Structure formats: C-alpha cells, structure tokens
Amino acid sequence: MPFITVGTENSAPIDLYYEDHGSGQPVVLIHGFPFNGATWEKETTALLNAGYRTITYDRRGNGNSAQPAFGYDYNTFAADLDILMNELDLRDAILVGHSMGTGEVVRYLGNYGSQRVSKAVLLSPLQPMLAKAQDNPEGVDRGLFQGFQQAIIKDRFAYLTQFCDAFFNYSENKGKLVSEEAYHAHWQIGTMASGKATHDSVTAWQEDFRPDLPKIDVPVLIIQGDKDNVLPFPVTGQRLAPMLPTSQLITLKGAPHGIPWTHADDINKAVLNFIKQPAKARA
C-alpha cells in the first residue's frame, strides 16, 4: 500500500494512503466527509478509460491514512495536499473535490497557487462560507454544527446513518439513484474515519473561504444538485459561481449531495468535457 508522510505525532509518522493509476494528465480526486478515496470508484473508472492518470488519497483521519489527534483544519489539509503534489511531482494537474474535498482545492489554490494545476472542479461545494456570521448572513446557523458534533460524541454510528440519509436524500432515491447496498457501503466507509476526525471536521466546514477565491486563476467547474440537503445550494454553489469569474456552474435538477455516486454519468460527462476544453489564458 503506498503512503506519503506529511508529519509526525509523538513518535509516529502521519502517513496518507493514496492510489496512483494510469498515465497521462493527472487528475487528483479529493473525497468528501467522512469517507475516503474508495467513494470515487465510478469516476476513477471513467477517467482511466479516457486516458488520464488518476490519483485518490485518504484525508488524514480517514480511511487507511493515519489518524492523528490534530490537524483537522484547511490550512493543514492544504499542506498535506501540497506535499502529495510535490512528492508525486504532479504538473498540469486537474484538482477535483467533492463536498469537504472542495475545501482542499480552494485553500490549496489560495495558499500555494496554480503552478502545478491547470483546472479545478468543485462538486457540491462548501464555499464561499457555510457558517452564518455578521458579514455572512446567508450562512447556516452555527448551532446546527454544534448539534452535529454533540451527536457525533454521543453516537457516531447513529449520526452516520442520519448523514447518509441526507447525503443521498435516501427516502426518495432508495432503489432509484442509490441501492440499499451502496448506502450501507458508504456508511461502512464512513466508520473508518476516527471519531476525532469526524468531530473536528465539522469545525473545519465553518471556515471562511472568501479570501481564497480572488487568488484562483484557473478555470473552475462547479456542479451541484439543487436538492442538496447537506450543503444547501442557495448557500453554497449558487452564491459561489458569481464570486469566481473563471467558473462555470452546472446545476443538476433534483440531485442530492452525493452526486459522485447518484449522478456519476452526468459528473463524468461534464468533467471530461471540461478537462478537454483548452484552458484560457491566466490573469
């Protein structure tokens, strides 16, 4: 199993598990909460078949990566991604994030620039700022996040069931866009994250990405369902698109949050078309 070391905790290395397959232009897929790289299987197959080098990795605290007691903030997540980009010497890369993974994409471009990146894709994005604040009245009340964290502390596994219900809009999509087996597979993948990572990631969701947005100088594709019950479309993608002059927005009617699974065909078609388009000159 391939690992990259991104730090240490006491005497132990903090290693990220990654998979690196195929050849050609690299595409880095960054998973959502509280899952890992395994949830990209429908996209990795399409990308490999289309001739792209396809890389997934498990965020710290998730999947097969180390589960340290610290570092669950986006400056650290972006630093982890930067190490991966440099260790694998990725150039002209496409960064694709889903949900929580969009934070790595945006903060990486904000902190480290686009020298190694040619385009970015944000699926069901967190941005511009999810939490309500005095200068962000459109956001979600912070008490909701505190409730999530209390539920995680009380019974993380019961919370995961609630999360997967919202992730797939399961009551309406069961047996149509998602099977019972796929639902339970996602739940099981979610249990692989540590309790600390699951809890602290909810704090990271509330970070302000607005200062990062003006630093993004590559084309960006935003795709989101208008029935996203995890990251509400009016608070996130709908607001984000006008803030990113380099972006284009695709709205999937009736789609839930978990579009890499439920709408994989739409995602793959849109992403491959976007990747193939000639990149515009940078500002």
Side-chain angles (χ1 to χ4, degrees), residues 145-180:
F145 304 110
Q146 295 168 3
F148 291 159
Q149 290 182 311
Q150 289 168 3
I152 291 165
I153 291 170
K154 181 179 179 181
D155 188 336
R156 178 167 64 96
F157 305 104
Y159 169 79
L160 284 174
T161 297
Q162 297 170 10
F163 181 80
C164 288
D165 286 347
F167 186 84
F168 289 117
N169 294 359
Y170 193 54
S171 61
E172 71 177 88
N173 292 323
K174 177 182 178 180
K176 301 171 186 175
L177 298 178
V178 59
S179 66
E180 186 175 349

Side-chain angles (χ1 to χ4, degrees), residues 207-243:
E207 292 189 30
D208 186 357
F209 294 94
R210 291 173 296 178
D212 300 298
L213 301 180
K215 302 174 186 176
I216 296 177
D217 61 355
V218 296
V220 178
L221 175 64
I222 303 167
I223 310 176
Q224 189 168 13
D226 64 4
K227 292 187 74 173
D228 189 328
N229 285 326
V230 175
L231 300 175
F233 179 61
V235 178
T236 54
Q238 187 171 293
R239 290 176 61 211
L240 175 62
M243 298 182 183

Side-chain angles (χ1 to χ4, degrees), residues 63-227:
N64 292 306
S65 289
Q67 300 187 347
F70 65 93
Y72 300 104
D73 62 90
Y74 274 107
N75 283 336
T76 303
F77 295 149
D80 289 349
L81 174 57
D82 182 57
I83 291 171
L84 179 113
M85 297 284 284
N86 281 281
E87 286 287 325
L88 299 183
D89 194 23
L90 302 181
R91 301 176 186 275
D92 195 30
I94 314 293
L95 296 182
V96 181
H98 173 239
S99 184
M100 190 170 175
T102 64
E104 274 98 337
V105 175
V106 170
R107 184 59 53 79
Y108 174 86
L109 291 170
N111 285 0
Y112 299 97
S114 59
Q115 293 84 355
R116 293 182 176 273
V117 179
S118 61
K119 293 181 181 179
V121 179
L122 307 175
L123 308 177
S124 308
L126 271 175
Q127 299 73 35
M129 181 180 179
L130 188 60
K132 184 176 289 186
Q134 192 167 11
D135 66 344
N136 190 50
E138 304 93 340
V140 176
D141 191 281
R142 290 182 187 269
L144 185 66
F145 304 110
Q146 295 168 3
F148 291 159
Q149 290 182 311
Q150 289 168 3
I152 291 165
I153 291 170
K154 181 179 179 181
D155 188 336
R156 178 167 64 96
F157 305 104
Y159 169 79
L160 284 174
T161 297
Q162 297 170 10
F163 181 80
C164 288
D165 286 347
F167 186 84
F168 289 117
N169 294 359
Y170 193 54
S171 61
E172 71 177 88
N173 292 323
K174 177 182 178 180
K176 301 171 186 175
L177 298 178
V178 59
S179 66
E180 186 175 349
E181 292 83 358
Y183 173 99
H184 287 298
H186 279 75
W187 184 91
Q188 183 65 45
I189 291 169
T191 67
M192 295 175 67
S194 73
K196 179 70 170 170
T198 306
H199 175 278
D200 289 5
S201 291
V202 178
T203 301
W205 300 350
Q206 302 171 60
E207 292 189 30
D208 186 357
F209 294 94
R210 291 173 296 178
D212 300 298
L213 301 180
K215 302 174 186 176
I216 296 177
D217 61 355
V218 296
V220 178
L221 175 64
I222 303 167
I223 310 176
Q224 189 168 13
D226 64 4
K227 292 187 74 173

Side-chain angles (χ1 to χ4, degrees), residues 15-92:
D15 291 335
L16 298 187
Y17 171 75
Y18 71 97
E19 295 192 11
D20 183 357
H21 301 292
S23 59
Q25 187 177 13
V27 180
V28 182
L29 300 159
I30 308 167
H31 64 84
F33 167 93
F35 304 121
N36 60 51
T39 53
W40 286 113
E41 68 175 71
K42 291 190 175 186
E43 286 70 31
T44 55
T45 299
L47 287 163
L48 287 168
N49 289 341
Y52 292 94
R53 178 182 175 187
T54 306
I55 298 148
T56 61
Y57 71 95
D58 297 351
R59 181 181 294 108
R60 64 167 62 207
N62 294 259
N64 292 306
S65 289
Q67 300 187 347
F70 65 93
Y72 300 104
D73 62 90
Y74 274 107
N75 283 336
T76 303
F77 295 149
D80 289 349
L81 174 57
D82 182 57
I83 291 171
L84 179 113
M85 297 284 284
N86 281 281
E87 286 287 325
L88 299 183
D89 194 23
L90 302 181
R91 301 176 186 275
D92 195 30

Side-chain angles (χ1 to χ4, degrees), residues 5-15 66-68 70:
T5 300
V6 295
T8 58
E9 181 180 28
N10 298 330
S11 61
I14 300 171
D15 291 335
Q67 300 187 347
F70 65 93

Side-chain angles (χ1 to χ4, degrees), residues 239-259:
R239 290 176 61 211
L240 175 62
M243 298 182 183
L244 276 176
T246 62
S247 73
Q248 62 183 96
L249 170 65
I250 296 175
T251 306
L252 299 177
K253 284 201 163 293
H257 186 68
I259 51 177

